[in-house]
């Protein structure tokens, strides 16, 4: 877990999957998205379903190349220059609200306001005032609503994911409310710049782990797959899981 998530644990207590206000609507959408990823194979407890390993490995090599020439150097610049840019993306507030985390949703709004006014959107004074960034996403919202993890996938540019998280990442682009109010060409360019900046920010936040998985391991695909699934399960369970991982499609 990141230091910011740990320091704000009072606002981010994980809860068991439950029904949310929009569960019936998005459950149908999520089920449709995950249906194409179903493997039809039973997955033992702690197992990783990876029926698409050949395709995933191809995307993994593509993503590794993009990271080498673009994301890795961009994240090094971003980490120094623009620590508060992610606050301009409104999905944290939407997801915390959908998860029933109303106190944290309010903190998201306050944090964004402080960083826009006092930090001009590029600095992070809100953290100094006791409002650290607390990340969440649609994948976590779907987990709270009881959607299964699904098989492992590696998506071009988006990187490693479960089918549930992969659907969530695509949905965040489609549902991003900032996009509904950016009809002018200049604002659309600003939105794309924010999206690129968000990728660089995520890369910068996890630089040591990503570098070890991609450039210091014998099989970067296997290391990335196991590392991502283990981290994500632990994150969603509030850091409580200590399970070992097995690949149910391994030879």
């Amino acid at each position: 877990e990141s230091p910011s998530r740990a320091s704000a644990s009072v606002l981010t207590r994980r809860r068991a999957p439950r029904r949310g206000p929009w569960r019936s609507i998005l459950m149908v959408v999520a089920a449709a998205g995950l249906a194409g990823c179903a493997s039809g194979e039973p997955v033992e407890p702690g197992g990783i379903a990876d029926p698409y390993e050949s395709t995933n490995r191809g995307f993994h090599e593509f993503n590794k190349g993009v990271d080498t020439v673009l994301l890795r150097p961009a994240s090094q610049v971003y980490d120094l220059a623009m620590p508060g840019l992610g606050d301009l993306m409104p999905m944290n507030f939407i997801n915390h609200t959908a998860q029933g985390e109303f106190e944290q949703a309010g903190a998201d709004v306050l944090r964004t306001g402080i960083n826009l006014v006092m930090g001009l959107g590029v600095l992070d004074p809100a953290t100094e005032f006791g409002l650290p960034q607390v990340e969440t996403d649609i994948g976590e919202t779907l987990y709270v609503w009881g959607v299964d993890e699904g098989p492992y996938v590696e998506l071009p540019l988006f990187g490693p994911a479960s089918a549930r998280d992969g659907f969530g990442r695509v949905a965040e682009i489609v549902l991003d409310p900032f996009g509904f109010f950016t009809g002018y060409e200049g604002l659309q360019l600003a939105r794309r710049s924010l999206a690129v900046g968000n990728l660089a920010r995520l890369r910068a936040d996890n630089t040591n782990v990503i570098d070890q998985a991609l450039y210091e391991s014998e099989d970067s695909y296997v290391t990335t797959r196991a590392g991502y699934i283990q981290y994500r399960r632990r994150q969603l369970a509030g850091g409580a899981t200590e399970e070992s991982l097995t690949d149910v499609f391994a030879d």
Side-chain angles (χ1 to χ4, degrees):
E1 289 184 19
S2 66
S4 63
R5 184 178 290 272
S7 63
S9 59
V10 68
L11 296 178
T12 58
R13 294 189 297 272
R14 299 293 174 222
R15 57 187 69 181
R18 60 175 178 79
R19 291 185 178 274
W22 305 303
R23 183 178 184 274
S24 60
I25 297 174
L26 287 190
M27 279 285 286
V28 173
V29 178
L34 297 180
C37 297
S39 67
E41 296 284 346
V43 179
E44 63 187 75
I48 305 176
D50 189 4
Y52 314 117
E53 180 173 349
S54 178
T55 301
N56 284 339
R57 281 187 177 275
F59 287 141
H60 176 78
E61 290 304 315
F62 171 78
N63 288 336
K64 187 173 180 179
V66 171
D67 184 82
T68 300
V69 302
L70 180 61
L71 283 181
R72 192 183 192 194
S75 69
Q76 294 168 347
V77 174
Y78 177 91
D79 197 34
L80 296 174
M82 308 185 75
L85 182 62
D87 286 328
L88 298 180
M89 309 299 279
M91 294 305 297
N92 272 358
F93 165 76
I94 293 172
N95 281 300
H96 279 133
T97 300
Q99 294 163 21
E101 300 283 352
F102 301 116
E103 185 178 1
Q104 183 57 54
D108 291 336
V109 174
L110 183 58
R111 174 183 165 81
T112 299
I114 291 173
N115 281 355
L116 282 174
V117 174
M118 301 183 63
L120 302 178
V122 296
L123 301 178
D124 186 18
T127 294
E128 300 299 321
F129 296 150
L131 290 170
Q133 177 89 320
V134 179
E135 297 283 355
T136 188
D137 50 51
I138 290 180
E140 183 171 357
T141 299
L142 294 174
Y143 166 81
V144 170
W145 291 355
V147 177
D148 290 337
E149 178 181 84
Y152 177 79
V153 294
E154 180 137 0
L155 304 173
L157 299 179
F158 289 95
S162 65
R164 179 181 59 207
D165 288 344
F167 173 84
R169 292 178 196 177
V170 175
E172 285 182 352
I173 296 177
V174 176
L175 299 177
D176 179 8
F178 190 66
F180 292 121
F181 304 101
T182 53
Y184 295 107
E185 182 177 349
L187 292 178
Q188 289 286 2
L189 179 61
R191 182 183 178 225
R192 295 188 189 100
S193 298
L194 288 174
V196 173
N198 199 43
L199 284 175
R201 177 177 61 85
L202 292 173
R203 177 61 168 83
D205 289 346
N206 300 280
T207 185
N208 291 334
V209 173
I210 293 175
D211 282 352
Q212 289 175 9
L214 292 184
Y215 305 111
E216 300 174 20
S217 61
E218 182 177 350
D219 187 332
S220 61
Y221 174 77
V222 170
T223 303
T224 298
R225 180 182 62 192
Y228 174 81
I229 294 297
Q230 189 171 56
Y231 164 77
R232 186 60 165 166
R233 289 176 183 174
R234 184 183 300 117
Q235 180 188 46
L236 294 177
T241 180
E242 297 294 338
E243 64 185 9
S244 59
L245 300 177
T246 58
D247 183 355
V248 300
F249 288 91
D251 294 333

